[in-house]
Amino acid sequence: MDLTALRANFEVIRHAVGPRVRIIAMLKSNGYGLGAVCVARALEPLAPWGYGVATAEEGEELRRLAGIERPILVTGPLPAESVALAAEAGLTPAMSDPGELERWATEARRRGTPLDFHVEIDTGMGRSGFDWRDTNRWVEAVRAATGSGARLTGVFTHFQSADAVERDPTQLQWERFWDALVQLPVSRQDLLIHAANSAAALRWPEYAADAVRPGIYLYGGHPAVGLPKETLPPPAPVVALRARITLIRQVPPGSTSGYGATHVAQGWERWGTLAIGYGDGLPRCLGNVGHALVRGRRVRILGQMSMDMTVVDLTDVPEAQIGDVATLIGRDGDAEITVEEVAGQASTISYEIFTGLTARLPRVVRGEADAA
Ligand SMILES: *Cc1c(COP(=O)(O)O)cnc(C)c1O
């Protein structure tokens, strides 16, 4: 993990939206799998407005383990059993439902202190938030909650197609958002209004409002892979995934590699075993499909991957030795395997590759020094 690159990506977002727009760095799912505490500490000197997580438990951990004092927005609906934890940790939950509001206001009265919350307006994502269509059903509940201990400090929505070529779906969500927003019983100046994820923040700063919520871009994932390259600045790579060669053998024709013997050596081949497998989060479907970089050269993965080992073809890299470091994601000399390439081979997105990296992989951190 290169924290200098992480901070550079943060600055690219800040530059795109301008100095007056606040940044809520999204740290859900353990900082997209990288390690939320480490990422939060690296971003602290850049003074984001706060951080976003999906659950109260994630937020509480940031307070306790990273010592974060800035606002922490909990974007997912808050289950009843997490209300006390969220209040105790001073988190700012996003509300989606009158029952949820009522529980938050009750907790505030019980404690005798106001408790902040944001309202999410669902404008087409369809997973959380109050429905933009029937504000008359829930605006009253928001008013009741704010009158009895809870404090509405922000309103947001989430775009479902900010990575699409077409801007229309995002524009439509934006209009729905404002139609609903203006009906809330709080004046505009007292609210932090936010909508944009990484893709929207970089492509359309006009939707930035008061704050943006970037995630993937910070971590070096491209937020809109289907678009022409020049549409937005490519992120600096933050993650590299590497493993050592632990064994090298010269094998005769007919030798088979991996479960199901799906690779058969045609002639004499030189095989290298890497100390990494799908148990580390590398997708198993890279078997016979994916690549590694060894000594600056691209080599093929041979046969099905195992949980802890992956075999690569070193026939054309005769100088490779046991102990060499192979790169599964990242750069080696002039060669590069991007997370998007791996995600494409696995029919998924960079987000799932990053969050799938398992605890067994030691996180080796670069650029910590200049974080202080
Ligand atoms: C994950 C998430 C984001 C960040 O999205 P990216 O595409 O990773 O930038 C922003 N807001 C909410 C509510 C999210 O769940």
Side-chain angles (χ1 to χ4, degrees):
M1 287 168 53
D2 181 351
L3 299 182
T4 306
L6 175 90
R7 285 189 293 270
N9 293 335
F10 181 97
E11 294 294 3
V12 170
I13 301 259
R14 175 130 73 194
H15 181 78
V17 297
R20 277 188 304 277
V21 174
R22 317 289 189 90
I23 298 180
I24 304 172
M26 296 304 292
L27 298 181
K28 61 196 182 190
S29 197
N30 195 28
Y32 285 47
L34 276 64
V37 169
C38 176
V39 170
R41 286 200 180 126
L43 293 177
E44 268 297 285
L46 305 183
W49 174 82
Y51 300 96
V53 293
T55 70
E57 290 69 22
E58 289 180 333
E60 190 274 335
E61 232 178 70
L62 279 181
R63 290 261 186 264
R64 183 164 40 87
L65 301 179
I68 298 300
E69 293 177 359
R70 299 178 196 281
I72 298 177
L73 178 70
V74 182
T75 60
L78 190 66
E81 57 272 24
S82 300
V83 164
L85 180 78
E88 187 62 38
L91 308 178
T92 307
M95 298 283 143
S96 294
D97 161 86
E100 205 184 359
L101 274 173
E102 172 55 32
R103 287 194 294 273
W104 194 242
T106 304
E107 182 71 16
R109 284 195 302 275
R110 205 175 64 74
R111 292 174 174 266
T113 49
L115 292 178
D116 290 358
F117 69 97
H118 285 197
V119 156
E120 178 176 1
I121 299 174
D122 177 13
T123 57
M125 187 68 186
R127 63 178 188 186
S128 56
F130 292 98
D131 194 306
W132 88 93
R133 285 163 295 208
D134 46 25
T135 43
N136 50 343
R137 289 236 198 100
W138 52 265
V139 163
E140 210 34 61
V142 173
R143 194 193 311 277
T146 54
S148 68
R151 191 163 58 192
L152 175 61
T153 55
V155 183
F156 72 100
T157 193
H158 190 54
F159 295 137
Q160 102 281 72
S161 296
D163 62 336
V165 177
E166 292 296 319
R167 182 197 174 118
D168 301 4
T170 304
Q171 176 63 26
L172 182 63
Q173 282 192 272
W174 181 249
E175 286 163 16
R176 290 169 173 174
F177 179 49
W178 281 91
D179 285 349
L181 175 52
V182 293
Q183 301 183 43
L184 283 167
V186 178
S187 76
R188 166 82 181 79
Q189 306 85 267
D190 298 331
L191 294 176
L192 188 78
I193 295 172
H194 47 107
N197 55 7
S198 299
L202 290 163
R203 295 178 74 193
W204 304 308
E206 54 273 39
Y207 300 140
D210 301 328
V212 294
R213 302 186 309 271
I216 194 67
Y217 192 83
L218 300 174
Y219 305 104
H222 199 292
V225 277
L227 301 180
K229 278 215 169 59
E230 58 280 6
T231 310
L232 49 86
V238 174
V239 176
L241 183 58
R242 305 189 203 271
R244 278 191 201 282
I245 299 175
T246 49
L247 189 67
I248 295 182
R249 285 161 310 155
Q250 201 76 38
V251 303
S255 300
T256 59
S257 165
Y259 291 109
T262 58
H263 175 77
V264 183
Q266 297 306 302
W268 279 88
E269 291 182 352
R270 191 162 180 258
W271 291 358
T273 302
L274 309 184
I276 192 166
Y278 65 80
D280 300 287
L282 204 56
R284 182 174 169 275
C285 58
L286 295 185
N288 288 316
V289 171
H291 294 91
L293 307 176
V294 175
R295 302 237 174 179
R297 244 157 314 147
R298 201 171 252 269
V299 299
R300 289 181 307 143
I301 295 178
L302 302 179
Q304 296 293 346
M305 285 169 51
S306 296
M307 192 185 293
D308 318 302
M309 287 177 269
T310 299
V311 174
V312 296
D313 184 8
L314 298 178
T315 310
D316 296 331
V317 194
E319 72 275 29
Q321 288 176 12
I322 290 177
D324 280 2
V325 173
T327 299
L328 288 305
I329 296 173
R331 289 193 185 131
D332 180 356
D334 293 334
E336 182 176 17
I337 297 175
T338 63
V339 64
E340 284 76 26
E341 174 183 337
V342 171
Q345 288 164 343
S347 305
T348 184
I349 53 178
S350 55
Y351 303 66
E352 195 182 15
I353 301 297
F354 285 159
T355 56
L357 300 175
T358 64
R360 181 166 68 181
L361 283 169
R363 268 57 172 173
V364 180
V365 177
R366 294 239 174 105
E368 224 161 13
D370 45 327

